[in-house]
Amino acid sequence: MINVAIDGPAGAGKSTIAKGVAKKLGFIYVDTGALYRTIALNAVRNNVIDSTEGIVNMLKDTDVSLGFKDGVQCVYLNGEDVSGLIRTPEISMGASKVSAIPEVRAFLLDLQRDIARKNDVIMDGRDIGTVVLPDAQCKIFLFASPEVRAKRRYKELIEKGEDVTYEDVLDDVNKRDYQDSHREIAPLKPTDESVMADTSKLTLDESIEYVINIIREKM
């Protein structure tokens, strides 16, 4: 099986680019961020998002799984398709919180590795190359400037009807970068083998082709 690990900060376009690349190469796309967002959503629903102990206790009654509808990945929480509920700023910050908890990471690790064992996958997240798939044949660290990432996220949220300002989104991006890169467990960082890919000045189509070329060179 061919495993491609794509890591990078929030808003770098990892998910959108990885989806496009997977479609063109015929690979399975695994959005690991969606898994952490789903845990965060459950924690918010159970009013334990600010309690590490509460989140850990909640896991025993939490079932998270991935499925595919018409080739599109969907994420399920206790059997409910929550794909459309996990992309808000509140859940984004919650995902950063829960992802710093070792028990949460262990809870999701086996699910992610099992999918990679059975399929040619492109998996994106914060620690895919370093922790989840350390033996991946191709590792890419995808990034863009905080300002570019905030503009992309702001446009996405406005199109969804969210009431946000660019300044607030930029502040969230910077806070999340700090949280993700300074956490004790699996901090966001490239590996020695990672190809550094800056998409700040690239369109989506250009970014997809750029990543495909990197994968083909590695293969």
Side-chain angles (χ1 to χ4, degrees), residues 187-206:
L188 169 68
K189 63 179 180 181
T191 70
D192 291 339
E193 308 95 52
S194 298
V195 177
M196 303 299 289
D198 185 354
T199 66
S200 297
K201 296 179 180 177
L202 300 180
T203 65
L204 174 59
D205 288 342
E206 288 169 343

Side-chain angles (χ1 to χ4, degrees), residues 71-103:
V72 177
Q73 179 187 282
C74 300
V75 62
Y76 296 88
L77 171 61
N78 297 329
E80 175 194 356
D81 182 353
V82 295
S83 309
L85 304 176
I86 57 173
R87 299 293 171 186
T88 66
E90 179 191 18
I91 299 302
S92 292
M93 294 305 290
S96 199
K97 283 182 185 175
V98 302
S99 66
I101 301 171
E103 290 87 349

